[in-house]
Amino acid sequence: TNGSALPGFVLMGFSDRPQLEQVLFGVILLLYLTTLVGNTTIIVMTLSDAKLRTPMYFFLSHLSFLDLCFTSSIVPQLLVNLGGADKSISYGGCVVQLYVSLALGSTECVLLAVMSYDRYVAVCRPLHYASVMHPRLCLSGVATTLVQSTLTLQLPLCGHCLVDHFFCEVPVLLKLACVDTTFNEAELFVASVLFLLVPVSFILGSYGLIARAVLSISSGEGRRKAFGTCSSHLLVVVIFYGTIIFMYLQPAKSRSKDQGKFVSLFYTVVTPVLNPLIYTLRNKEMKMALKRVLGTA
């Protein structure tokens, strides 16, 4: 049967561990509220403080907006399922979750790569520091999502509705199909390489050039300042790409189902809350802007 003929899906999530569900509900709710407050604060500060109207903070505000939308497409449904006996999600809800999370995740992969180029220009070519994000980069993420999600939803599911995960994700939905999914898996691998390995290679190349430029600075203070401007972004990159690459490029047979759930939990819930903490606690300009907004400086 076609998936659209099903009344919906059952997100199994962590239902086999009821005690863990109660703990996860409290922890995830706290992290989600912190994500909302932290990323909203960054957006408000970059819009209200004239000193933060630079390409770096333009990208940072967009990163915060993406994180807000990305986590909000998954976490509310996750909290509902963790907080009660009903683990169901409608077919339409699953489709929306699949499209939105993939589109935003792909766009964030591209945005982080653009931010690495922004850091390269700031350190290596400061006189030409006027880079702007091209909208075609984000549109490429959305276009790939449309193809990948549509191909997945076209697979016959033969009446299966039990999703052994906490949200609708392509690798998990492929397991529900009762036909050969070799083509879909190949397409998923190509998309993963395009939006994961290519940006990571670009980022590593940018930071390699940055490191070479920084090491040529004679002043120790200058080197520390230059590394300080890049360390926050590099930390975000390691956390974000590391978990997603582990999920999408590791052979499915080499990881357990619980392992996949916890890895997905990390990049859907933990990473969005770390971004504002990393950028605000490790960035002097953001801390000063926050003090100005609060009227304490």
Side-chain angles (χ1 to χ4, degrees):
T1 181
N2 191 293
S4 59
L6 295 172
F9 297 94
V10 177
L11 298 174
M12 302 299 291
F14 305 92
S15 58
D16 57 337
R17 301 180 182 183
Q19 295 180 338
L20 179 61
E21 280 191 323
Q22 298 175 9
V23 175
L24 285 176
F25 179 85
V27 173
I28 292 174
L29 177 60
L30 178 61
L31 291 176
Y32 181 55
L33 293 176
T34 305
T35 298
L36 295 180
V37 173
N39 286 289
T40 301
T41 300
I42 289 179
I43 294 173
V44 171
M45 285 195 298
T46 54
L47 292 176
S48 59
D49 196 310
K51 293 185 178 180
L52 298 182
R53 292 173 186 171
T54 63
M56 173 185 173
Y57 296 105
F58 169 80
F59 295 138
L60 180 55
S61 65
H62 280 68
L63 179 63
S64 294
F65 179 74
L66 285 174
D67 279 338
L68 278 175
C69 297
F70 177 70
T71 193
S72 294
S73 70
I74 297 170
V75 173
Q77 180 68 50
L78 173 58
L79 290 174
V80 170
N81 292 349
L82 288 174
D86 185 9
K87 311 296 182 183
S88 64
I89 182 174
S90 67
Y91 178 80
C94 186
V95 170
V96 171
Q97 195 175 71
L98 180 64
Y99 275 96
V100 172
S101 62
L102 266 179
L104 295 176
S106 300
T107 303
E108 184 162 342
C109 289
V110 175
L111 180 58
L112 287 173
V114 174
M115 290 177 71
S116 72
Y117 177 74
D118 173 78
R119 295 296 81 214
Y120 161 74
V121 174
V123 173
C124 302
R125 299 178 180 271
L127 297 180
H128 301 85
Y129 186 59
S131 60
V132 291
M133 180 175 58
H134 203 293
R136 290 179 183 174
L137 294 173
C138 294
L139 290 177
S140 64
V142 175
T144 302
T145 295
L146 291 175
V147 174
Q148 189 171 315
S149 300
T150 302
L151 288 175
T152 302
L153 293 172
Q154 292 300 313
L155 292 172
L157 304 180
C158 300
H160 298 305
C161 63
L162 297 179
V163 179
D164 193 12
H165 207 39
F166 61 84
F167 79 105
C168 295
E169 195 171 23
V170 172
V172 181
L173 293 179
L174 288 179
K175 294 180 180 180
L176 300 182
C178 56
V179 295
D180 183 25
T181 59
T182 302
F183 175 78
N184 299 79
E185 292 173 359
E187 193 276 334
L188 177 61
F189 179 80
V190 171
S192 299
V193 170
L194 179 63
F195 284 95
L196 293 176
L197 295 186
V198 171
V200 166
S201 300
F202 182 83
I203 290 170
L204 292 177
S206 297
Y207 277 103
L209 294 174
I210 290 173
R212 186 175 65 178
V214 169
L215 291 176
S216 65
I217 300 176
S218 58
S219 169
E221 179 65 26
R223 286 196 296 268
R224 284 192 295 272
K225 183 177 180 181
F227 276 123
T229 62
C230 303
S231 59
S232 297
H233 177 253
L234 191 57
L235 185 57
V236 170
V237 166
V238 171
I239 294 172
F240 180 77
Y241 282 104
T243 53
I244 296 184
I245 287 175
F246 180 86
M247 181 65 185
Y248 277 82
L249 291 180
Q250 184 186 24
K253 295 182 180 179
S254 64
R255 62 171 183 270
S256 66
K257 60 179 183 179
D258 287 340
Q259 191 179 48
K261 292 177 187 177
F262 283 106
V263 170
S264 297
L265 196 64
F266 196 90
Y267 66 77
T268 57
V269 179
V270 178
T271 302
V273 76
L274 288 179
N275 287 346
L277 293 178
I278 290 172
Y279 278 109
T280 54
L281 295 179
R282 294 176 57 86
N283 190 300
K284 293 182 179 179
E285 292 181 353
M286 289 297 295
K287 288 188 284 189
M288 291 301 297
L290 181 59
K291 291 180 179 179
R292 288 192 293 269
V293 170
L294 297 177
T296 58

